[in-house]
Amino acid sequence: MSINAIPAHVAVPSPPKPWILPTRGLTVFYGCAEMPRLSHYFLPHALIQGKNIVCLDGANRFDSLLIARFARQRGCEPSAFNERLRCARAFTCFQLTELLVRAPRLLESFPADFLIVTALPDLYFDEDVRDGDAFASFRCALLDLKRLAQLLPVAVFSGASPSLTPRRNFLPQLARQADCVWRFSVKEDHELAFAIEKPEQTRLAS
């Protein structure tokens, strides 16, 4: 796996997991500012299997050139990957919530096997948005995520930092709703580390 696409000081290991998209429910990946960028590394395994993926990109980090590089590294034409991807961008929390609301209609026209969402709840920490509006929009987003996770596997990639604002509970709320939670971090030797905080088995056994 190439590491040229992320900051040079972060070394990406090559484990068998978790670089595979979840096959059911809602999974949250968080803990590292580069999570929206790292979401790209979860795509090749699914795309090479012919799966369709929809990305709701709140981080404005979707990189078609990186996707093309992944395709060529695997002996595929970039078009073979691109035709299986659809990306819709959001630049505010309200736009991201609206994309989640409209996602079922998008899935009707482009049947997807996976849904990826970036910068949730990151966008909802915007200081230009009043607390009341941010809370209302975030509640709607959680409801729609729950509905979508019943239709197809959903993976949320959050680069949010700890917050001392009244919105500090947004990420814990998202994690509580998730079926599985992975935490990523950068160690002192600049290698990327990860740990599963909420195994999927928790949901399956309940």
Side-chain angles (χ1 to χ4, degrees):
M1 179 181 296
S2 170
I3 63 172
N4 295 331
I6 64 174
H9 64 277
V10 177
V12 179
S14 300
K17 289 186 178 182
W19 304 108
I20 299 175
L21 288 171
T23 58
R24 58 188 301 172
L26 171 62
T27 301
V28 174
F29 300 90
Y30 84 104
C32 173
E34 286 298 317
M35 286 315 305
R37 185 68 170 175
L38 288 170
S39 66
H40 292 73
Y41 289 86
F42 289 75
L43 301 180
H45 181 268
L47 293 173
I48 203 73
Q49 293 181 328
K51 304 296 185 181
N52 292 337
I53 302 172
V54 168
C55 178
L56 306 183
D57 184 21
N60 194 26
R61 300 291 296 276
F62 187 82
D63 189 338
S64 58
L65 294 179
L66 180 56
I67 300 302
R69 182 190 304 170
F70 286 155
R72 287 191 293 268
Q73 288 173 345
R74 289 158 178 79
C76 301
E77 288 295 325
S79 59
F81 276 17
N82 289 333
E83 68 184 9
R84 298 195 175 280
L85 286 166
R86 293 293 184 275
C87 178
R89 299 182 190 274
F91 300 96
T92 69
C93 63
F94 306 115
Q95 291 175 351
L96 185 55
T97 297
E98 185 62 22
L99 285 180
L100 290 167
V101 171
R102 296 183 180 183
R105 292 198 292 274
L106 174 59
L107 295 172
E108 289 177 1
S109 59
F110 182 76
D113 301 287
F114 301 98
L115 175 67
I116 286 177
V117 184
T118 65
L120 195 159
D122 316 26
L123 277 181
Y124 298 81
F125 293 144
D126 187 349
E127 294 180 354
D128 292 330
V129 178
R130 293 181 298 181
D131 284 342
D133 294 334
F135 274 91
S137 186
F138 183 67
R139 284 195 297 270
C140 290
L142 286 183
L143 287 174
D144 284 296
L145 273 178
K146 185 174 183 178
R147 297 188 186 104
L148 288 165
Q150 295 173 352
L151 300 176
L152 78 171
V154 179
V156 174
F157 293 86
S158 173
S161 300
S163 172
L164 297 179
T165 72
R167 309 175 203 182
R168 61 185 176 274
N169 288 325
F170 282 5
L171 186 57
Q173 287 180 45
L174 174 63
R176 284 195 296 271
Q177 181 168 302
D179 299 297
C180 184
V181 178
W182 285 87
R183 178 181 175 88
F184 282 60
S185 60
V186 180
K187 298 188 294 184
E188 291 183 1
D189 59 3
H190 304 303
E191 183 175 337
L192 195 65
F194 36 79
I196 188 166
E197 292 189 342
K198 186 177 182 182
E200 186 180 0
Q201 289 85 340
T202 300
R203 180 178 65 86
L204 297 177
S206 62

